[in-house]
């Protein structure tokens, strides 16, 4: 199968409902033609309209990776704060609840020693992404034998306002395994999307627009 695809599509959009042309972005999603559910995208990308000139030009945009939802593998309580004047993005991973292994979602990596366990040694890994590239990663301390671990892990990243629209943060809950082998239990991705399809603001969007810390429980995905 070819990895270079040409769609040659020219959609048109009206501007009647736009709050501001310069604060609007075009979201592009690539789907597998056989799987077109809202969680089945191959990837997404954003093109801020402020980056478009009045001349015809091409833009090469990175796709953010696909996430597959799995029922009831747990939640993370995450706090976000951004200061444009300080170019500071603060991520506070407070705690998790109801962590569990899913027999279907984790079956490829599930080992006999892990089956049937209800509490795990876990830590969180926080990764800043920009333009589809990994910029910086840090991790919390290991919390032993808890299904509702308290992490209280804080991360500060330098993100200038001009890069915020291309930035996102991936938070992964990892179960520490034996002999150094670890298993990702699930992850949460925050940013760069500021609105959902129905127009409501995301946690990232509230962080950007309200200029305050926004704390929210987030479902874990694989």
């Amino acid at each position: 199968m070819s990895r270079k695809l040409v769609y040659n599509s020219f959609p048109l959009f009206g501007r009647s409902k736009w709050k501001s042309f310069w604060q609007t972005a075009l979201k592009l999603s690539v789907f597998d033609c056989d799987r077109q559910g809202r969680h089945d995208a191959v990837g997404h990308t954003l093109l801020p309209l402020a980056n478009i000139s009045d001349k015809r030009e091409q833009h090469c945009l990175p796709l953010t990776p696909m996430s597959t939802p799995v029922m009831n593998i747990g939640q993370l309580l995450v706090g976000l704060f951004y200061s444009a004047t300080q170019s500071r993005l603060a991520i506070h991973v407070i705690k998790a609840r109801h962590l569990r292994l899913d027999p279907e979602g984790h079956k490829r990596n599930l080992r006999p020693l892990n089956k049937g366990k209800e509490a795990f040694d876990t830590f969180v890994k926080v990764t800043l992404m920009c333009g589809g590239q990994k910029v910086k990663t840090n991790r919390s301390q290991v919390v032993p034998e808890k299904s509702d671990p308290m992490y209280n892990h804080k991360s500060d990243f330098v993100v200038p306002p001009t890069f915020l629209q291309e930035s996102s943060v991936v938070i992964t809950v990892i179960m520490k395994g034996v002999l150094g082998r670890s298993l990702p239990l699930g992850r949460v991705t925050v940013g760069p999307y500021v609105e959902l399809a129905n127009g409501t603001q995301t946690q990232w969007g509230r962080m950007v627009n309200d200029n305050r810390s926004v704390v929210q429980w987030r479902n874990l995905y694989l």
Side-chain angles (χ1 to χ4, degrees):
M1 182 179 67
S2 173
R3 293 186 179 183
K4 294 183 178 180
L5 305 176
V6 179
Y7 297 107
N8 200 30
S9 176
F10 299 93
L12 298 176
F13 301 96
R15 292 182 52 183
S16 60
K17 296 183 179 180
W18 295 2
K19 296 179 181 179
S20 169
F21 178 85
W22 303 110
Q23 296 179 356
T24 302
L26 180 66
K27 178 183 176 182
L28 304 172
S29 301
V30 178
F31 287 89
D32 184 331
C33 63
D34 294 325
R35 302 175 61 195
Q36 298 188 35
R38 64 191 182 99
H39 295 298
D40 293 326
V42 175
H44 310 276
T45 191
L46 284 181
L47 175 61
L49 298 189
N51 295 348
I52 299 177
S53 68
D54 56 358
K55 299 179 181 179
R56 176 172 290 187
E57 56 188 5
Q58 294 183 343
H59 297 266
C60 184
L61 305 171
L63 291 174
T64 57
M66 175 179 61
S67 292
T68 304
V70 177
M71 294 298 292
N72 302 322
I73 61 172
Q75 293 181 310
L76 269 183
L77 186 61
V78 179
L80 307 178
F81 174 76
Y82 181 70
S83 171
T85 57
Q86 299 177 348
S87 297
R88 172 175 169 259
L89 174 63
I91 310 295
H92 186 191
V93 184
I94 303 170
K95 59 183 178 179
R97 65 183 179 187
H98 311 318
L99 294 181
R100 76 177 189 92
L101 288 168
D102 182 84
E104 288 299 317
H106 295 107
K107 63 183 178 181
R108 292 184 179 180
N109 297 306
L110 200 58
R111 301 180 180 89
L113 289 176
N114 302 135
K115 292 182 178 179
K117 291 190 67 174
E118 296 183 356
F120 318 99
D121 297 345
T122 61
F123 61 93
V124 290
K125 183 173 69 173
V126 182
T127 302
L128 173 66
M129 308 288 293
C130 187
Q133 302 296 317
K134 185 183 299 184
V135 177
K136 188 176 181 181
T137 297
N138 59 57
R139 52 170 286 180
S140 72
Q141 298 291 324
V142 175
V143 179
E145 294 293 322
K146 296 285 185 181
S147 60
D148 299 319
M150 175 71 71
Y151 297 114
N152 196 28
H153 179 66
K154 298 179 180 180
S155 306
D156 279 356
F157 300 108
V158 177
V159 182
T162 52
F163 288 93
L164 191 63
Q165 290 180 325
E166 301 179 17
S167 299
S168 61
V169 176
V170 180
I171 306 168
T172 308
V173 178
I174 300 175
M175 180 178 67
K176 184 179 180 182
V178 295
L179 301 177
R181 302 182 68 180
S182 299
L183 169 67
L185 288 179
R187 60 181 57 86
V188 167
T189 301
V190 292
Y193 310 117
V194 297
E195 288 188 355
L196 300 174
N198 60 9
T200 59
Q201 286 189 331
T202 64
Q203 183 185 12
W204 186 271
R206 297 199 306 275
M207 174 198 75
V208 172
N209 294 325
D210 296 348
N211 193 30
R212 62 180 177 86
S213 179
V214 181
V215 179
Q216 181 178 322
W217 282 104
R218 303 292 300 266
N219 292 327
L220 288 171
Y221 295 84
L222 283 176

